[in-house]
């Protein structure tokens, strides 16, 4: 690992000598990808989102060697073979084994994390210890900013929450904040839903059922009257007319995450999840009846947490690949600029990609992570430590590069100033 890092440093110095900076990115004088020929990226987790992200990354950075790592080596191999590119291969890796993780991660220039939320914080710790940069998607309960000092000392860049929301939403918030002298309110509404309501919940599962249950059970933090407050998830219910979709309902979920610590002196700030009307009531009933509980229940000598059974039932009954989905996102940031009150409103509505069979949820989550990883290798991010996307979004150069890459993949964001 040490030898590889020395070699990597030498190559980096050589790369700087022969590269010029064009449009914010480093390219050599003849346009070849000399600097990237020796770059190695490890993708940890080969589930639905991770597999789509690695394919997008590998096709856009075809001179980078990409390894897919998973405890389930058969799944990692299947994903690599399905992608079918010479620069993509696989290895077996147990993300719960800290020493194995550290010894492996140190051999790579960049790590992309697509692990369950329960392993996300451990991955950041392992990357910091191994000295490897990280772009991460996991919906971890811990605050990744706690590891900022360790990451700075290790000289690594950790970018957490690189998905949809948190993710794209954070970039948009940062872009609006950069234009304001003072921020007053931040409001985020986001949802991945079927094109039309589907019984029994008006919903289909397009991402991890475990993370979905986390979203419905984890306590929600918002900012109310200038103070961080804890509210009940599914509360704050309101009806919302979303352009291009129709009437939806919105309720509080815990999606602010790093924004709670990086957006200072804001009066009110919250995130709400969008669903078709009636969904929150049904989910609330399941929650009250204990279907999401973690304490095991014994039936006929078999002990099982209801949550695990519910996740499996969600997976079996609500993962409906034949049903097309959409993703709706609205970010509204209000504040003061030049003594005038202004609002910046961003809208995004993305659809299922029928030509490639990729859900809108996977597109907006996986492509976001892939794009950030590509920008990392292109040296668009130089800051060390735990660097949340809202901080990067303040840079017009990063914002333009990020949104242009989304648009190139057919994901369009509109911005309006009022």
């Amino acid at each position: 690992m040490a030898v590889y890092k020395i070699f990597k440093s030498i190559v980096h110095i050589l790369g700087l000598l022969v590269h010029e900076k064009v449009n914010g990115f480093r390219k050599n004088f003849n346009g070849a990808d000399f600097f990237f020929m020796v770059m190695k990226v490890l993708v940890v987790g080969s589930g639905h989102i991770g597999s789509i992200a690695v394919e997008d990354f590998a096709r856009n950075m075809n001179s980078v060697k990409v390894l897919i790592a998973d405890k389930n080596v058969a799944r990692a191999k299947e994903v690599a073979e399905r992608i079918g590119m010479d620069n993509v291969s696989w290895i077996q890796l147990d993300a719960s084994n800290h020493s194995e993780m550290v010894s492996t991660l140190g051999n790579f220039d960049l790590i992309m994390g697509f692990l369950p939320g329960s392993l996300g914080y451990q991955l950041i710790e392992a990357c910091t210890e191994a000295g490897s940069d990280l772009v991460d998607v996991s919906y971890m309960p811990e605050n990744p900013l706690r590891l900022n000092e360790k990451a700075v000392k290790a000289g690594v860049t950790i970018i957490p929450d690189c998905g949809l929301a948190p993710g794209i939403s954070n970039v948009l918030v940062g872009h609006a904040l950069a234009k304001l002298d003072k921020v007053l309110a931040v409001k985020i509404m986001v949802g991945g839903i079927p094109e039309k309501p589907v019984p029994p919940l008006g919903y289909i599962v397009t991402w991890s059922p475990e993370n979905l249950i986390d979203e419905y059970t984890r306590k929600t933090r918002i900012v109310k009257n200038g103070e961080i407050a804890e509210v009940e998830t599914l509360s704050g219910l309101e009806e919302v007319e979303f352009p291009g979709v129709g009437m939806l309902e919105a309720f509080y979920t815990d999606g602010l995450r790093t924004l709670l610590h990086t957006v200072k002196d804001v009066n009110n700030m919250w995130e709400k999840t969008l669903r078709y009307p009636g969904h929150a009531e049904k989910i609330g009933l399941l929650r009250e009846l204990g279907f999401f509980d973690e304490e095991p229940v014994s039936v006929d000598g078999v002990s099982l947490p209801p949550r695990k059974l519910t996740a499996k039932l969600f997976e079996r009954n609500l993962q409906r690949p034949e049903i097309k989905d959409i993703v709706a996102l609205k970010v509204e940031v209000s504040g003061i600029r030049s003594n005038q009150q202004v609002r910046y409103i961003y809208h995004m509505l993305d659809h299922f990609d029928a030509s490639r069979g990729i859900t809108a949820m996977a597109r907006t989550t996986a492509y976001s992570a892939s794009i950030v990883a590509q920008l990392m290798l292109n040296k668009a991010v130089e800051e060390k430590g735990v660097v949340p996307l809202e901080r990067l979004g303040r840079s017009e150069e990063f914002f333009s590069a990020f949104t242009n890459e989304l648009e190139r993949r057919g994901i369009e964001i509109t911005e309006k100033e009022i």
Side-chain angles (χ1 to χ4, degrees):
M1 182 171 73
V3 173
Y4 176 73
K5 287 192 173 295
I6 293 171
F7 173 69
K8 195 165 65 172
S9 298
I10 294 172
V11 172
H12 177 66
I13 293 171
L14 291 173
L16 292 177
L17 291 174
V18 300
H19 282 64
E20 63 177 348
K21 200 169 186 182
V22 181
N23 295 328
F25 305 118
R26 299 194 184 280
K27 296 183 180 293
N28 69 356
F29 291 115
N30 63 12
D33 288 324
F34 168 81
F35 180 56
F36 295 132
M37 283 195 299
V38 295
M39 300 292 277
K40 295 171 63 181
V41 170
L42 183 70
V43 179
V44 185
S46 59
H48 181 55
I49 301 298
S51 62
I52 292 169
V54 71
E55 180 171 4
D56 180 82
F57 181 89
R59 294 194 184 284
N60 284 280
M61 304 288 281
N62 56 20
S63 57
V64 177
K65 183 174 178 58
V66 182
L67 268 73
I68 305 169
D70 203 302
K71 186 176 182 179
N72 184 342
V73 69
R75 183 169 65 182
K77 179 182 178 182
E78 186 277 327
V79 170
E81 291 179 343
R82 175 165 48 81
I83 293 172
M85 294 187 63
D86 292 339
N87 64 323
V88 179
S89 56
W90 71 91
I91 60 171
Q92 186 172 33
L93 183 64
D94 183 357
S96 65
N97 186 324
H98 182 75
S99 60
E100 181 184 353
M101 287 287 283
V102 172
S103 63
T104 302
L105 301 182
N107 295 314
F108 294 86
D109 301 280
L110 178 67
I111 313 300
M112 296 172 66
F114 298 91
L115 294 173
S118 58
L119 294 173
Y121 196 78
Q122 294 171 237
L123 178 59
I124 296 179
E125 290 180 311
C127 284
T128 301
E129 191 172 332
S132 296
D133 295 336
L134 170 67
V135 169
D136 190 62
V137 171
S138 66
Y139 188 58
M140 68 189 77
E142 302 90 348
N143 177 11
L145 292 172
R146 293 176 185 169
L147 294 174
N148 179 62
E149 186 176 341
K150 287 185 178 180
V152 170
K153 288 182 179 178
V156 299
T157 301
I158 307 292
I159 306 183
D161 296 331
C162 290
L164 166 61
I168 295 176
S169 57
N170 297 58
V171 175
L172 300 180
V173 169
H175 184 247
L177 292 178
K179 303 179 183 184
L180 295 173
D181 301 320
K182 176 179 173 54
V183 59
L184 297 176
V186 175
K187 301 175 183 179
I188 301 168
M189 293 186 180
V190 61
I193 55 178
E195 288 185 335
K196 303 293 181 184
V198 177
L201 300 178
Y203 183 71
I204 57 173
V205 173
T206 54
W207 56 310
S208 163
E210 292 83 3
N211 285 348
L212 176 65
I213 293 174
D214 280 342
E215 184 177 79
Y216 292 143
T217 56
R218 194 177 291 173
K219 289 292 185 181
T220 292
R221 295 157 298 167
I222 66 172
V223 176
K224 186 176 181 179
N225 299 324
E227 300 290 335
I228 295 178
E230 195 173 85
V231 298
E232 195 69 30
T233 299
L234 302 178
S235 66
L237 191 65
E238 63 175 305
E239 288 193 332
V240 177
E241 182 77 25
F242 197 96
V245 181
M247 188 61 67
L248 300 173
E249 66 180 19
F251 49 83
Y252 288 133
T253 46
D254 192 45
L256 292 180
R257 299 176 60 73
T258 57
L259 291 170
L260 289 166
H261 310 282
T262 59
V263 181
K264 305 296 184 182
D265 301 320
V266 61
N267 293 342
N268 296 287
M269 180 166 62
W270 45 255
E271 185 205 82
K272 291 187 176 184
T273 288
L274 295 169
R275 296 286 187 262
Y276 287 111
H279 180 84
E281 182 181 11
K282 295 172 183 177
I283 291 296
L285 177 62
L286 291 176
R287 188 178 66 183
E288 291 303 311
L289 290 174
F291 282 83
F292 301 151
D293 289 356
E294 294 186 1
E295 184 178 346
V297 173
S298 182
V299 179
D300 294 335
V302 178
S303 183
L304 184 71
R307 174 195 175 99
K308 281 190 175 294
L309 176 60
T310 302
K312 284 296 181 184
L313 291 173
F314 276 5
E315 183 177 344
R316 187 179 74 181
N317 298 315
L318 298 181
Q319 284 190 341
R320 305 276 299 277
E322 75 279 7
I323 297 175
K324 298 176 182 179
D325 74 321
I326 58 176
V327 165
L329 171 66
K330 178 183 178 182
V331 174
E332 180 177 324
V333 181
S334 59
I336 305 297
R337 187 189 67 191
S338 301
N339 297 318
Q340 299 289 323
Q341 188 162 333
V342 295
R343 280 190 298 159
Y344 297 100
I345 302 174
Y346 304 85
H347 276 99
M348 183 190 79
L349 180 61
D350 194 55
H351 296 266
F352 179 85
D353 182 351
S355 64
R356 303 185 63 194
I358 301 177
T359 65
M361 177 60 71
R363 283 167 47 79
T364 52
T365 304
Y367 291 167
S368 300
S370 173
I371 290 167
V372 173
Q374 292 172 52
L375 292 175
M376 282 275 288
L377 288 188
N378 277 306
K379 301 301 175 185
V381 181
E382 300 281 7
E383 185 177 351
K384 302 301 179 184
V386 178
V387 186
L389 282 173
E390 60 269 25
R391 190 179 303 163
L392 296 176
R394 289 174 175 265
S395 161
E396 187 62 41
E397 184 179 25
F398 180 92
F399 176 81
S400 295
F402 179 77
T403 54
N404 286 343
E405 284 298 309
L406 286 176
E407 187 173 350
R408 191 167 67 87
R409 292 160 176 81
I411 301 171
E412 298 185 4
I413 299 170
T414 63
E415 177 185 357
K416 180 169 63 174
E417 178 182 337
I418 299 178

